[in-house]
Amino acid sequence: MFLERHGNQYRVVVNVPKELHGKLGTKLKRSLGTDSLKEANRLKWDVIADLKATIAHAENPSLSLETARYISREQAMQQAVRFAEQRKSAFDPERRDEIDEEIDWQAESLAGKPIATDEEGHEVFDPERLRLAKDFSRSARGDRTPIDLHHEKFLAASHVKARTLADDKRAIKLLKDWCSKAGVPPYLQVMTKKEAVRFCDELPSLTANLTPVTLNKYVSRLSVYWTWLENRHEVDSNIWQGRRLREPRQTTDQKERPFTDEEVKTLLKGPAEPAMDDLMRIAALSGARLDAIVCLKVKDCRDDGVFVFKPQKKEPGPRLCPIHPDLVEIVERRKKGKGPEDDIFPEWPGVKKSDSLRERSFKTSNEFTAYRRSVGVEDRREGKRRGLVNFHSFRRWFITKAEQAGQPESTIAVVVGHKRQGMTFGVYSGGPLLEQARRCVEAVRLPA
């Protein structure tokens, strides 16, 4: 690694990033003054650090060479992973000894030179650098793997929404914070089912004002990460499987519910803005989620009378939903004079910040809540943060009305994007015909 023979001696060679070729050339090289490969391997790490510091300084001139020379923890641990992978594939004892020797030399380089001598004459090293050197050595040998070492790779392989990725990062941070507080070494090899139970027991004390439902979401994300680690043989088992915080038992009158017919009438005949009125009617007669409606484009309202809603939750792809006859006028009016990529609801363009985790419908939801309360549609219970009715109550109302109209449960599930139950409907059926879905949608009527 990083070595090439030049004449009778070895030298270190470090590649220069393409954007710095004009300033530094394509490679930085420095002779080690020895013809011994073993000695070159021992000497090379300090030289590598110097050359990389030169590159870092060229990238950021405000960074001192001394600061740039210090190898960051992330870089060191990434190199430890490469060493660990080499050790796994090294079946020859001699080759493994060579790798271990390289690990020792790199660890010594990370620890740096002694900063003092104690009363007994022992060398004293910088505590942070010494800790880094020990973590590097243990990780490179596969003895100690930081719990978040593979997390970035896991996130890169995850096909989930940005908000779920944020939950993943929050979950691993909570676990690391707990390890620090509980005195548990933050390594995969140390984490057992016993530690997982302790973490779940003590998690509420780490967080303020978070419900068991939210905390269980973080435990669930840790479980997904551990399953990924198990499949890669980084851990023996998923210690989070079956772990959940106990959630308060809710009585029927404490659960979020559909709107009543009277509440739907109140909302639809109230002084809503035209866009809000159109939005509520589409929700009531399609059972679609708020964000799916707000994100509709002209091309998603097909001429054959079908909505194409974007995937929501765990839906594998876009979902077709017949357009209710009572919505045709609204759809045609909102499509008029627009191109295929234009928004059906330009009134709510979404958040402006590109890195925001909020859905496009965030502001829409706030406006609906304010309108709903202004017309007196509210249902709150003491001790509950959320009321029992919200925009999602239109979806519940649609499902209720479709069921009361005698529509099959499996067809309703397809229309609203729920997973169908059972082997017959859930696996072998290709889904109901569009005509069946249309009958289901048209069976729902707004209250007179």
Side-chain angles (χ1 to χ4, degrees):
M1 294 171 63
F2 299 105
L3 291 179
E4 72 175 16
R5 197 170 180 88
H6 183 63
N8 293 327
Q9 296 184 336
Y10 285 97
R11 66 183 179 186
V12 171
V13 180
V14 175
N15 292 324
V16 175
K18 191 173 183 180
E19 61 272 15
L20 295 176
H21 283 182
K23 185 183 292 187
L24 301 177
T26 59
K27 296 180 180 181
L28 295 182
K29 302 178 181 180
R30 185 182 299 175
S31 176
L32 292 171
T34 179
D35 60 357
S36 166
L37 177 59
K38 185 173 183 179
E39 180 68 6
N41 272 318
R42 187 183 69 80
L43 296 173
K44 70 182 180 181
W45 293 111
D46 281 342
V47 176
I48 292 169
D50 283 339
L51 297 183
K52 286 189 173 182
T54 301
I55 293 172
H57 181 67
E59 289 176 324
N60 182 7
S62 64
L63 198 66
S64 70
L65 279 173
E66 182 58 32
T67 302
R69 191 183 185 282
Y70 183 75
I71 300 176
S72 72
R73 181 179 185 86
E74 182 179 354
Q75 289 174 319
M77 299 314 290
Q78 286 174 351
Q79 192 158 7
V81 172
R82 291 193 289 271
F83 273 125
E85 289 173 348
Q86 288 179 12
R87 288 187 90 254
K88 280 184 181 178
S89 59
F91 298 105
D92 178 20
E94 188 174 338
R95 172 58 183 150
R96 179 165 286 199
D97 287 342
E98 291 175 357
I99 295 172
D100 287 342
E101 215 170 4
E102 293 240 358
I103 293 171
D104 290 339
W105 290 329
Q106 173 70 324
E108 288 178 13
S109 176
L110 289 171
K113 296 178 180 179
I115 59 175
T117 304
D118 64 17
E119 295 177 355
E120 298 179 0
H122 298 141
E123 295 175 329
V124 177
F125 293 85
D126 177 271
E128 286 299 319
R129 295 195 65 162
L130 186 60
R131 187 180 301 111
L132 173 58
K134 289 180 178 179
D135 287 345
F136 168 84
S137 182
R138 289 168 177 168
S139 297
R141 284 182 166 80
D143 298 330
R144 287 288 187 268
T145 307
I147 56 178
D148 59 345
L149 183 62
H150 303 289
H151 202 242
E152 285 300 324
K153 187 181 290 187
F154 160 71
L155 295 180
S158 300
H159 302 289
V160 294
K161 293 183 178 180
R163 293 178 70 176
T164 303
L165 287 178
D167 289 338
D168 278 305
K169 293 178 181 179
R170 170 78 165 148
I172 206 73
K173 183 180 184 304
L174 285 171
L175 181 56
K176 288 172 66 178
D177 289 347
W178 175 80
C179 286
S180 177
K181 183 179 178 181
V184 176
Y187 300 113
L188 294 179
Q189 290 81 358
V190 176
M191 295 299 298
T192 64
K193 290 183 178 180
K194 185 176 181 179
E195 273 65 46
V197 171
R198 282 184 61 195
F199 173 78
C200 290
D201 288 344
E202 298 171 18
L203 183 56
S205 65
L206 281 178
T207 54
N209 302 321
L210 291 183
T211 66
V213 174
T214 301
L215 297 180
N216 278 330
K217 178 175 61 175
Y218 296 135
V219 175
S220 175
R221 296 316 301 170
L222 289 174
S223 180
V224 174
Y225 176 44
W226 245 256
T227 296
W228 182 84
L229 291 171
E230 183 183 8
N231 291 336
R232 295 172 62 85
H233 303 286
E234 298 293 346
V235 297
D236 294 331
S237 62
N238 179 6
I239 62 174
W240 305 101
Q241 189 168 6
R243 302 277 169 263
R244 289 188 67 82
L245 280 73
R246 186 170 183 176
E247 299 175 10
R249 189 172 183 177
Q250 289 186 329
T251 58
T252 305
D253 65 343
Q254 291 178 316
K255 294 181 179 180
E256 295 183 11
R257 62 172 178 79
F259 288 127
T260 64
D261 284 358
E262 285 301 316
E263 287 170 333
V264 171
K265 286 194 286 186
T266 298
L267 290 165
L268 295 182
K269 73 179 183 180
E273 295 291 330
M276 183 62 70
D277 186 73
D278 291 347
L279 182 78
M280 292 189 295
R281 292 175 185 274
I282 292 177
L285 294 177
S286 69
R289 294 181 173 90
L290 175 59
D291 200 63
I293 301 173
V294 173
C295 290
L296 280 172
K297 293 184 178 296
V298 169
K299 67 178 182 181
D300 300 325
C301 304
R302 298 191 334 199
D303 293 336
D304 60 352
V306 173
F307 284 126
V308 181
F309 290 119
K310 71 172 189 175
Q312 297 277 286
K313 301 292 184 180
K314 295 183 180 180
E315 293 174 358
R319 176 169 55 85
L320 303 184
C321 176
I323 298 175
H324 195 286
D326 291 351
L327 299 177
V328 172
E329 183 276 327
I330 294 175
V331 172
E332 292 305 315
R333 168 164 46 82
R334 288 194 160 269
K335 288 172 61 177
K336 190 174 182 180
K338 296 180 180 179
E341 295 295 331
D342 290 336
D343 292 324
I344 289 295
F345 285 98
E347 294 87 350
W348 295 293
V351 292
K352 295 181 180 180
K353 293 182 179 179
S354 59
D355 58 346
S356 175
L357 299 180
R358 291 175 173 173
E359 293 181 323
R360 174 174 174 168
S361 58
F362 175 77
K363 187 176 179 181
T364 320
S365 178
N366 289 343
E367 290 184 15
F368 171 75
T369 301
Y371 168 71
R372 172 175 59 77
R373 289 171 177 169
S374 73
V375 295
V377 177
E378 182 71 298
D379 188 356
R380 301 194 67 83
R381 293 290 189 275
E382 185 178 351
K384 285 189 66 68
R385 183 174 61 86
R386 285 163 53 108
L388 303 191
V389 291
N390 46 47
F391 194 90
H392 210 70
S393 294
F394 279 122
R395 181 174 171 85
R396 299 185 183 99
W397 180 85
F398 174 89
I399 294 171
T400 300
K401 291 302 171 183
E403 181 184 19
Q404 291 174 352
Q407 296 302 308
E409 181 181 353
S410 61
T411 305
I412 299 173
V414 168
V415 169
V416 299
H418 282 166
K419 183 178 180 180
R420 298 202 293 174
Q421 301 299 314
M423 180 65 73
T424 303
F425 284 134
V427 178
Y428 290 107
S429 173
L433 296 174
L434 194 59
E435 190 54 41
Q436 290 175 270
R438 194 177 300 281
R439 286 199 297 270
C440 176
V441 169
E442 293 180 3
V444 177
R445 310 292 296 181
L446 292 176

